[in-house]
Structure formats: C-alpha cells, structure tokens
Amino acid sequence: MINLQISDVSNTTSRRLFSYLKPYKIGFVCAMLGMVGYALVDVGFISMLQPFIDEGIEGKDTEFLKYAPLFIIVMFLFRGASHFIATYCLSWVGANIVKDLRQELFEHLMRLPVSFHDQNSTGDLISKVTYSTEQLKQATSKALIVLIREGAFVIGLLALMFWNSWQLSLIFLVIAPLIAVIVGFVSKRFRKISNNIQTAMGLVTTCSEQMLNGHKVILSFGGQKVEKSRFAEVNNMTRQQDVKLESAKAMSTGVVQLIASFALAFVIYMASQPAMLDSLTAGTFTLIASSMVMLLRPLKQLTTVNGDFQRGMAAAKSIFEILDQLPEQDTGTRELKRISGHIRFDHVDFSYPGHEDKQVLQDISFEVLPGQTVALVGRSGSGKTTISSLLPRFYEIEKGRILLDDSSIKNFTLASLRQQMAIVSQHVTLFNDTIANNIMYGLDEPVSDAHLLDVAEKAHVMEFARQMQDGLNTIIGENGVSLSGGQRQRIAIARALLRQAPILILDEATSALDTESERKIQGALDELLKGRTNIVIAHRLSTIENADQILVMDQGRIIERGDHASLLAQDGAYAQLYKMQFGQKPV
Ligand code: ADP
Ligand code: MG
C-alpha cells in the first residue's frame, strides 16, 4: 500500500528533490532510524498484550507481572529518545534543504535576464522564495514522518497479527488493494488542488504587493474599492482550495476507515465461530482486536499523507520551474579592459521578448566616437530607453550588430561589458543603506572619504546630506522613501560620477529635478560628461543643445540626425519639438 503511494508520485520532481537530500544523508538516515524505532516501540507494546493477559492475568504469573512496570518505563524512555532523534534530525535536514533551495533560487533569480523579470510579477517570485520553500519543507517532512513512522507501525502491526493468527488476518489481503485504489484516486485530486493552492497563493502576494507599492496612488485615486474586491477574490480562491483539500482528506479518511471497520467486524464475527473460538486465547483475541483499532490512526494518516506530499511536490515543481529558466547568456569570452568608448549600432532591429509582434526598433544605425555625446530625442514610447538598454545587453537583439571599439558586444563577458558603463535613469533604485554606501554601490575597491565627499559635493548631494543627522551616513530607508525624486537622482548621479566608466548613459536623468536644481547640477553633469562617450536622453532640449550629434526618434526609427544648428535649419521634427518647448521664448 505504501509502496504503491510512492510509485504513484515518484515523478521527476521528487527525484530531483531527493538530490537536495544528498549532502544531509546521515541526518536523514538517523531520522529514519528514530522513526522506525518509535514505531517498533508501539508495536512492541501491543505485542506484550497477549503474554500479559494469557500468562500474567490468566496464568496468575506474578513473577512476569513484576517486570511489567519496569518494561513500561524502559520502553517509554526508548520511545522518547527515538522521537527526539527523529524530530531533530528531520528538521535539521528539512531546514538545510530549504536554506539551500532558497539560496539557489535567490541567486538564480538574480541571474535571470531582464526579459524574465519583465514578464513575471515580483510578488509571485517573492512568494516562491518565501512561501513555496517553506511549504515544501512543511509538507514533505510531515509526509515523511507519516510515510516512514506510520508505515513502519502498520507493517509491524500487520506482521504481529499474522504471527499471532494468520487465519484472522487474511482479511487484509482483501481490503489492502481496495484501500490502495482509493488512495490512488484521491491523490490525483490532491495534486490538482495543491497546484491551485500554489497559484492562488502567488496571486495573493502579487495583489498585496501591488497594493503596498501603489498605496499612495490608491489613496489619491480612491482605488480602495477596486483593490479590496480584487484581493477578496483571490483571497477567497485560496480559501476555496483549502477547504476543498481538507474535505477531500476527510472524505477519503472516512471511506478508508469504513472499509477497515468491515475488516474489524469480520474478525470479530470469525472469532465468534465455535471452531475459531477453541483455538483463540483471550490474549490473542485482545491483541488482534486492539491491533485493528490501532491500525485506524495510521491508516487515516497514510490516506491523507498524499495531500501533504502533493502540496510539497506542487511547491517543488513551481520552484524548479524557475530554476529551469535559462540564465542570461554570458557566452562572450573576452574580458573588456578599459575601452576607448567607440559605439556603433549597425542596422539594429529589436522587439521585446514576448511581444514579438510589435517591432520597437527598426533599422537603427548610428555611431558615437570616443568622447562624443549623442542625444536621443523624440516622443515618449519612440524607443529611446530601449536603445540605451541594448548597449549593456539587458536584451538580445535579433538583427544587426552593436559594436564597442569595433568588436561585437556579444564577444565580451557581461560583467566586464557592464563595468564600462554608468547608467543614470529616470527610475533611481536605492538600497536600504546609508547615502554613502548607495553612492559606492557595487565598487570593488574602497573609496577614500575625501574622494567620496568630493563626488557628493559635485553632484550636489552634500547640499541635502549636510542637513541630515548623520550626513552621508544617514540610512535612507527602503528604496530611499525619505528622499525626494530630485535628491534620489542626485545620488544616482554621484554614483555614476564615482564609477569613472568610459561610457555614460543618462536616461532622463534630470527629469525629477526642477529647473532651478537642474541648472545647479548642470555643472555636475558637465563634469560627468567630460572625457566619456555619452548617450543622453533628455526631456528638456536645453540640456542637449551641446551634443555632438542629435538623433530624433519616432516609432522606433531615426527620422532626423545632425547637430542642434543643422537640425533647426532643417525645420523638421526637431525644430517642431524645439518650438513647442520654447514657444514662448524668443529663439
Ligand atoms: P521611450 O524611452 O522613448 O519613451 P521606450 O524605449 O521605453 O520608449 O519604449 C519603446 C516601446 O517599447 C514602447 O512602445 C513600449 O511600450 C515598449 N516597451 C518598453 N519596455 C518594454 C518591455 N519591457 N516589454 C515590452 N515592451 C516594452
Ligand atoms: Mg524612456
């Protein structure tokens, strides 16, 4: 019966999960021994019923009875020790496996390409790291305890019964297959419900995360009702599945116990037959009857263990699905040393993975010489940010080439390629750390205080850091919630300044600054641009007038190119844009 259950679910997932057990084999074996020991003590107890009644009570053997109390205490000592060993070892193994899986998952998520993260919700992924791994441990260790401990108990009880009266025990040959069929049937249902629970849990976290991230928007747009009902729906979904699982469990338990009760009734009926009655002692009868009653508990647990096991397997499967996602293809072999910064896009076509029907970039060709600045302008959605994220290979292009110092960027290792660039974008990501550490983020070598201070001064970070209690050592909270958009961008600019990368990408880096502070840090930006190759995307044309080359983008194409003066002279799209921004002012 037990073997049948295992083979039913021994798919690739459980085999793969098993491989995580390998380093902790010893602990697992100890846990198994403890569990089997525990079961054996229980069987031992019941086996003593027969001599206790027949020899002790019926035979009035006081010598035998004298040892009974001692026997009880010794057995319980052994039972307690077994229980402790089993529990300790199993939780040691389980906790280690969860730790390993979590770490692997975390590292793998970090290695996955940007396109994967574009297409998967953060909440769902977080629930994999936190909930699914925990679920896996809980479910599988519970399943293991039942399978091994209760399994051994059942086998021991059956052996005991056959040993004492094989005639009465024959009934088990009939009911065992029956029970096996039922268990097989319910386990299919368990599996389906378990998968639904995983999905529902992912939705719950996604929904919560959305609410927490968008809290302000919800408040200001009065979205409470929508969010409330959205959450109520997914919340209710988990409840439904939970209840379904529990009811499937209870139903199958009831049926299995009913079948077992037939066996019990049959045994008592048989025992009452005159032929049987002669050969049965009171002790043997008590032993068989109590064994059968004792069987009910493990039978119930063994029937429902599949529910737990399937829940664990569903969790494991969802974790493995992520681990099976291909990480970023880092096939380049050349380590980039410091480059001169010659960038060339050569007939590049691109569409985002998963959105292949929509071509975002079409036939993009341009060249930036070392030390030059190219500016991208155009309506929002025209593909400017996309161009800037192709250079660090956040996405792979389908057609054309991108060359850096006359070599395709595919030839370089990702790490060394990205080291050549500093990116300041519209959405600044800050870590829950001090301002200083946020500025120095990702640097291999420590920076001297004087240098850091100099950079912070240039980026006008000191202007607001000075007013804070701990200056640059002020902790700024998760994603810098305590800072204004402009302050955040100044930190990002300082970060880029410190990096000394030969290529600089500014993607609307000053969009969160008002004109006043933008003018102030224009100095910092000029400093930043000096001596590098720059790609500048700006919403304010005034910041790009000095660019060596301006590319005007529209719907994924470059429709005009040239410097400020020649583009104005052309009187095309650029001139239009320019007039729109400075319509009021005399040009
Ligand atoms: P810009 O920076 O010029 O405002 P983008 O380069 O951000 O424009 O976007 C260009 C087009 O690509 C837009 O139509 C946008 O909808 C689409 N797009 C941008 N990012 C993604 C993404 N991660 N997945 C799918 N489509 C995207
Ligand atoms: Mg953009």
Side-chain angles (χ1 to χ4, degrees), residues 297-314:
R297 186 200 67 186
L299 265 187
K300 169 186 154 194
Q301 290 186 326
L302 282 170
T303 323
T304 55
V305 67
N306 230 314
D308 293 317
F309 193 67
Q310 294 302 344
R311 204 144 41 118
M313 284 304 117

Side-chain angles (χ1 to χ4, degrees), residues 262-280:
F262 277 118
L264 187 58
F266 175 80
V267 167
I268 293 179
Y269 169 77
M270 285 300 285
S272 65
Q273 299 302 302
M276 214 51 207
L277 215 47
D278 288 342
S279 66
L280 268 184

Side-chain angles (χ1 to χ4, degrees), residues 407-435:
S407 177
S408 165
I409 54 171
K410 286 191 178 163
N411 297 336
F412 309 124
T413 61
L414 282 176
S416 75
L417 174 71
R418 289 170 187 170
Q419 214 152 39
Q420 309 299 321
M421 309 171 188
I423 305 176
V424 184
S425 71
Q426 192 174 359
H427 308 283
V428 180
T429 304
L430 297 177
F431 297 90
N432 188 7
D433 206 337
T434 61
I435 296 178

Side-chain angles (χ1 to χ4, degrees), residues 239-256:
R239 176 201 59 86
Q240 249 172 6
Q241 300 302 328
D242 262 349
V243 173
K244 266 190 194 167
L245 190 74
E246 290 308 320
S247 72
K249 265 188 191 174
M251 187 85 91
S252 54
T253 308
V255 173
V256 166

Side-chain angles (χ1 to χ4, degrees), residues 384-385 426 507-508:
K384 305 178 299 284
T385 301
Q426 192 174 359
D507 187 353
E508 313 211 356

Side-chain angles (χ1 to χ4, degrees), residues 476-503:
I476 54 174
E478 192 187 345
N479 207 4
V481 280
S482 53
L483 299 176
S484 77
Q487 293 171 333
R488 298 157 58 89
Q489 262 178 349
R490 288 186 241 176
I491 293 182
I493 289 169
R495 198 187 267 169
L497 260 176
L498 197 59
R499 248 191 129 163
Q500 300 281 351
I503 295 177

